Amino acid sequence: MSVPAGAGVRSVARIVARDDGRGGTSLPVLESDGPLALRRTRATGDGARVMLVGAMSGPLGGDHFTVEGRVEEGARLSVGSAAATIALPGQAKGEARYDVRLGVADQGELNWLPEQLISAQGSDLYVTTRVELAATARLVLREEQVLGRVGEEPGRLTSRLTVRVAGLVVLDQELSCGPGAPGGWDGPAVLAGYRAVGQLVVVRPEFAAVPVTARVLGDGASLVPLAGPAALVTAVAPDALRLRRLLDEALASLQQT
């Protein structure tokens, strides 16, 4: 971990999941420092499970966190987090950054299911998530953002999510909310006054032959096929609990197809 004078904290976490040749998944790389801590936990089946634990508050203003995950051919990995991530204002000037870089090889599977990201008042955070998938890779990725803690206004939060399958972009979207964001972010075409927003991306090879059918999923959620073997659920809700319920119900419905 490097902490230059007058700058924020720099922290990197790395995960590599590999088929162990015995019907399971090994973790030859599990490295983290500073505010990011990785812990292997008990998993079911032939996959590996890792929890991302925040060892310190943050990200704060000026911080730069990076998480890199790679699932090699035939391996299975599930990643969660022990608690919500809270973006907070800090003494260092400038925005904080949180970058997630994920890759899944052929016949690999990744379930990326962290807890919510909360944008506290006065914070300024830019989040990027980039996923590179091979043609036969499988993915379940959930992102949830909550604008402000109870009874407070949100900070500035910009989130960009990019997913590529076999080198082709199937999703590239950005959402900016809070003070200083482009006008209309809180209007009827975007959040409609809600303070919790989430995305669920599901990639399966079989979706290439039989795409999902676009439909509304209850009050505040929708499902659409993407230009590839993928589907996107987008949901807005008044709070984190309702948002999670919407996304869990959407995933359950996709798993039945």
Side-chain angles (χ1 to χ4, degrees):
M1 178 180 63
S2 174
V3 188
V9 173
R10 304 294 185 266
S11 185
V12 179
R14 296 184 177 91
I15 312 167
V16 175
R18 180 175 297 163
D19 184 343
D20 65 7
R22 303 186 303 273
T25 298
S26 64
L27 297 173
V29 177
L30 195 64
E31 302 173 347
S32 55
D33 60 19
L36 298 176
L38 297 172
R39 301 287 184 266
R40 181 167 190 167
T41 61
R42 185 181 299 274
T44 58
D46 57 1
R49 180 172 175 80
V50 173
M51 296 297 289
L52 182 61
V53 180
M56 297 167 57
S57 297
L60 310 178
D63 290 353
H64 191 170
F65 295 175
T66 303
V67 180
E68 300 173 355
R70 187 171 83 252
V71 179
E72 297 184 352
E73 186 171 354
R76 298 181 61 191
L77 175 66
S78 294
V79 179
S81 58
T85 297
I86 304 178
L88 298 165
Q91 294 182 347
K93 294 183 180 180
E95 69 178 10
R97 293 187 61 92
Y98 200 129
D99 297 325
V100 178
R101 303 289 179 261
L102 306 173
V104 186
D106 278 313
Q107 305 301 323
E109 180 177 331
L110 173 61
N111 292 287
W112 188 265
L113 302 169
E115 294 301 308
Q116 298 91 355
L117 170 62
I118 301 173
S119 174
Q121 186 172 15
S123 64
D124 186 358
L125 178 63
Y126 185 53
V127 182
T128 63
T129 302
R130 297 178 185 173
V131 188
E132 297 281 350
L133 303 168
T136 59
R138 304 173 76 87
L139 172 74
V140 174
L141 181 146
R142 182 184 67 212
E143 285 193 344
E144 299 169 307
Q145 293 98 29
V146 179
L147 305 180
R149 292 169 292 191
V150 176
E152 75 172 6
E153 292 298 312
R156 170 74 178 269
L157 175 62
T158 301
S159 176
R160 183 167 184 175
L161 173 59
T162 306
V163 180
R164 292 182 177 87
V165 179
L168 300 178
V169 176
V170 300
L171 178 66
D172 190 354
Q173 67 176 21
E174 182 172 288
L175 177 64
S176 186
C177 306
W185 67 269
D186 202 23
V190 187
L191 297 189
Y194 289 121
R195 284 294 181 266
V197 58
Q199 297 77 230
L200 180 72
V201 181
V202 179
V203 179
R204 296 179 184 167
E206 54 265 35
F207 285 168
V210 185
V212 302
T213 301
R215 59 186 185 271
V216 175
L217 301 173
D219 183 17
S222 64
L223 167 67
V224 295
L226 299 177
L232 171 67
V233 176
T234 302
V236 294
D239 54 49
L241 182 62
R242 176 58 181 162
L243 178 66
R244 176 64 60 82
R245 186 178 299 121
L246 286 170
L247 294 178
D248 283 350
E249 290 171 355
L251 181 57
S253 70
L254 284 169
Q255 289 172 335
Q256 295 172 359
T257 60

